[in-house]
Amino acid sequence: MAGGEELMLLGKWPSPFVTRVQIALGLKGLSYEYVKQDLKNKSELLLTSNPVHKKIPVLIHNGKPICDSSIIVQYIDEAFPDSGAAFLPLDPYDRAVARFWTAYIDDKFVPASAQAFMGKTEEEKAEGTKNLVTAVETLEGAFGSDAEGKKKPFFGGDTVGIADIALGAMISRVRASEVLTGFKIFDAEKAPLLAAWAERFAELDAAKKVLPDVDGVVEFAKMRLAEAAAASGN
């Protein structure tokens, strides 16, 4: 990497949080070393790089670790301002809005999606689906138009922003959930803006290169659900 920069990403397939970082690095055109982690037997590198939470992803930049996917994406934007388009707008208010919707995705959409996708009982899955519908409706309304009334291609406007990256990394999980449950999350009739956005985002080169294969995610989910059922004796 130019300038003596060294980037190493600790991750595991098919984590959408790791995918976030991979998309961000791809959008910036940055090369990096990917180090796969076994979360059942965590490496010393992971334990020392993230001693508080001991979780992936971790980005190590010139020997210094950065943790938490949202923080990592913002770090990449700030550390490499001359590489690719900015993920955060310059205007303080617009930056606050972008961070708000990123936090909403993390706090509402992601846990609801996980519960609907991998809930232990049908009741849990139903509750997750209900919360997911609410989150999708809210995000559909937030997508809207820019200050001049023009339809925006991305949450970040004309270019991909941090909210796009946060939600875009979930596309494979969303599509796998749709396969398993038969419930359309990004429904073109109920959420046309989000449905069109998801297709647009998934076609970005940075996304196509790292978004997990949907069939693979479906099989992964089936395996995890079978393991959970065996552990509970069901």
Side-chain angles (χ1 to χ4, degrees):
M1 180 176 293
E5 304 284 359
E6 293 184 0
L7 289 169
M8 177 186 296
L9 175 60
L10 310 186
K12 185 180 186 300
W13 187 92
S15 166
F17 304 105
V18 174
T19 303
R20 282 184 184 182
V21 180
Q22 291 178 298
I23 291 172
L25 290 167
L27 288 168
K28 289 287 188 178
L30 301 170
S31 59
Y32 60 95
E33 179 185 359
Y34 183 82
V35 183
K36 182 180 177 181
Q37 299 296 300
D38 179 357
L39 299 185
K40 294 181 180 179
N41 184 24
K42 296 178 180 179
S43 70
E44 187 65 23
L45 180 59
L46 175 59
L47 296 175
T48 56
S49 298
N50 190 357
V52 177
H53 299 298
K54 304 176 178 62
K55 293 181 179 180
I56 54 169
V58 176
L59 180 71
I60 302 176
H61 181 203
N62 290 338
K64 298 178 180 179
I66 306 96
C67 307
D68 186 280
S69 62
S70 291
I71 292 174
I72 294 172
V73 170
Q74 293 184 57
Y75 174 85
I76 291 169
D77 197 35
E78 294 173 353
F80 301 95
D82 299 325
S83 299
F87 302 149
L88 280 163
L90 291 175
D91 181 79
Y93 176 77
D94 291 339
R95 290 170 75 90
V97 170
R99 286 179 170 134
F100 173 86
W101 287 114
T102 301
Y104 181 86
I105 291 164
D106 279 344
D107 295 341
K108 301 296 183 180
F109 184 92
V110 171
S113 173
Q115 187 176 2
F117 188 34
M118 299 291 289
K120 295 179 180 179
T121 65
E122 292 305 315
E123 289 75 14
E124 282 187 14
K125 292 178 182 178
E127 181 66 20
T129 300
K130 177 182 176 182
N131 293 334
L132 188 56
V133 168
T134 299
V136 167
E137 290 174 348
T138 301
L139 289 168
E140 175 75 6
F143 198 90
S145 306
D146 62 17
E148 298 178 354
K150 297 177 182 178
K151 295 297 182 183
K152 301 182 297 182
F154 300 105
F155 281 96
D158 291 330
T159 59
V160 173
I162 57 171
D164 295 288
I165 295 171
L167 190 59
M170 296 289 295
I171 288 175
S172 292
R173 177 187 283 187
V174 165
R175 290 177 173 171
S177 179
E178 291 174 346
V179 171
L180 288 171
T181 65
F183 176 76
K184 193 72 173 175
I185 298 171
F186 291 153
D187 191 317
E189 293 185 4
K190 297 179 180 178
L193 296 177
L194 277 182
W197 164 87
E199 294 295 330
R200 189 180 305 118
F201 188 93
E203 286 302 310
L204 295 171
D205 287 342
K208 285 195 290 187
K209 289 178 180 178
V210 298
L211 280 173
D213 172 70
V214 173
D215 290 339
V217 178
V218 169
E219 293 306 312
F220 176 83
K222 288 179 178 178
M223 179 184 69
R224 290 289 300 272
L225 289 169
E227 290 175 350
S232 64
N234 294 329

